[in-house]
Amino acid sequence: MTGQTGGTGQTGWKKKSAARLPPGARVRAPQVLTALEGLYPDARTELEFRTPFELLVATVLSAQATDVSVNAATPALFDAYPDAHAMSQAEPEDIEPFIRRIGLYRAKARNLAALARLLVERHGGEVPNEFDAVVALPGAGRKTANVVLSNAFGYPAIAVDTHVGRLARRLGLSTQSNPDRVEVDLQRLFPRERWVFLHHALILHGRRVCAARRPECGACVMASFCPKVGVA
């Protein structure tokens, strides 16, 4: 994504040369979108949050962890540290007990403590609505920035996680393994105003039907046009 929209934008993105899309991708894309809209009309993030700060923290915690485990941990964490100002006063060892059941909890506790301090020092304790500013925070990356900007600020974005990348390849929408390049391919194929929905719907379908090891192709409404039906 390039440029800025309504003051909420992404920079620092040197657009790579567009690779050739898979054969038939432009035909399949509207079929995929129609199917997903029928299956998951209200698709949204399954992370539970009330503020941009809570979403940022939850997204950082969700790396290599399930949303279920994150949602189980964050209520007590947010009661103790409801905002960046409160969390900026904590040391990593203060945060660890709240997130101990989440993978990589020690590294994530360090990132959260540092992240909160930078939010206070650089942004007055508020989560910035600029891509580069979010990416610069400890524990954040391109996926985190896309999730926060789209869900907290309404910016059109596609966050490519393992589910989105896997389904993009299986459905013949991309041949890329690099998440950034998958993102570019999906941007080329789908309307900008449906990017956020697409991201969430693909994740839901990846969790519920098109699993990594045993995809339920027989139960998939996209089996008739999926080029890799039955291929794990």
Side-chain angles (χ1 to χ4, degrees):
M1 278 172 264
T2 57
Q4 298 190 8
T5 301
T8 305
Q10 290 186 326
T11 58
W13 170 244
K14 295 180 180 179
K15 191 169 183 179
K16 301 174 177 64
S17 301
R20 186 183 298 277
L21 290 167
R26 293 195 181 278
V27 174
R28 279 189 298 276
Q31 295 175 304
V32 169
L33 185 58
T34 298
L36 293 174
E37 288 173 337
L39 287 169
Y40 315 107
D42 301 316
R44 59 181 297 276
T45 179
E46 293 189 315
L47 291 172
E48 296 173 358
F49 70 97
R50 294 165 298 185
T51 65
F53 175 72
E54 290 187 356
L55 176 60
L56 174 61
V57 169
T59 306
V60 169
L61 290 175
S62 71
Q64 299 184 51
T66 66
D67 289 356
V68 172
S69 68
V70 173
N71 290 338
T74 50
L77 177 66
F78 294 147
D79 282 345
Y81 307 109
D83 53 35
H85 290 282
M87 191 173 285
S88 70
Q89 302 302 309
E91 297 297 330
E93 54 267 30
D94 299 323
I95 298 173
E96 286 180 9
F98 294 97
I99 62 173
R100 194 176 300 275
R101 294 186 179 181
I102 297 175
L104 306 176
Y105 74 94
R106 288 192 176 89
K108 291 176 181 179
R110 290 194 297 271
N111 284 333
L112 291 183
L115 173 154
R117 292 187 181 104
L118 281 183
L119 286 178
V120 172
E121 293 170 5
R122 298 180 180 178
H123 308 287
E126 299 298 320
V127 176
N129 66 349
E130 294 293 336
F131 182 83
D132 285 352
V134 177
V135 170
L137 297 170
R142 184 171 187 83
K143 175 197 162 189
T144 298
N146 281 338
V147 170
V148 172
L149 290 177
S150 62
N151 290 281
F153 301 109
Y155 190 85
I158 301 174
V160 178
D161 67 354
T162 56
H163 296 294
V164 175
R166 180 176 73 253
L167 267 67
R169 289 183 288 273
R170 283 185 179 170
L171 289 167
L173 303 173
S174 177
T175 59
Q176 304 298 319
S177 57
N178 182 291
D180 294 357
R181 292 184 180 273
V182 173
E183 182 183 342
V184 171
D185 286 347
L186 294 178
Q187 288 174 341
R188 295 161 65 193
L189 289 169
F190 294 91
R192 184 180 180 89
E193 64 272 14
R194 301 305 285 156
W195 287 355
V196 178
F197 166 81
L198 177 73
H199 157 70
H200 293 311
L202 285 174
I203 289 176
L204 290 177
H205 200 65
R207 289 173 176 167
R208 299 177 184 180
V209 180
C210 194
R213 293 187 179 181
R214 294 184 179 179
E216 298 180 22
C217 299
C220 183
V221 300
M222 292 184 275
S224 63
F225 56 82
C226 177
K228 293 190 178 181
V229 169
V231 177

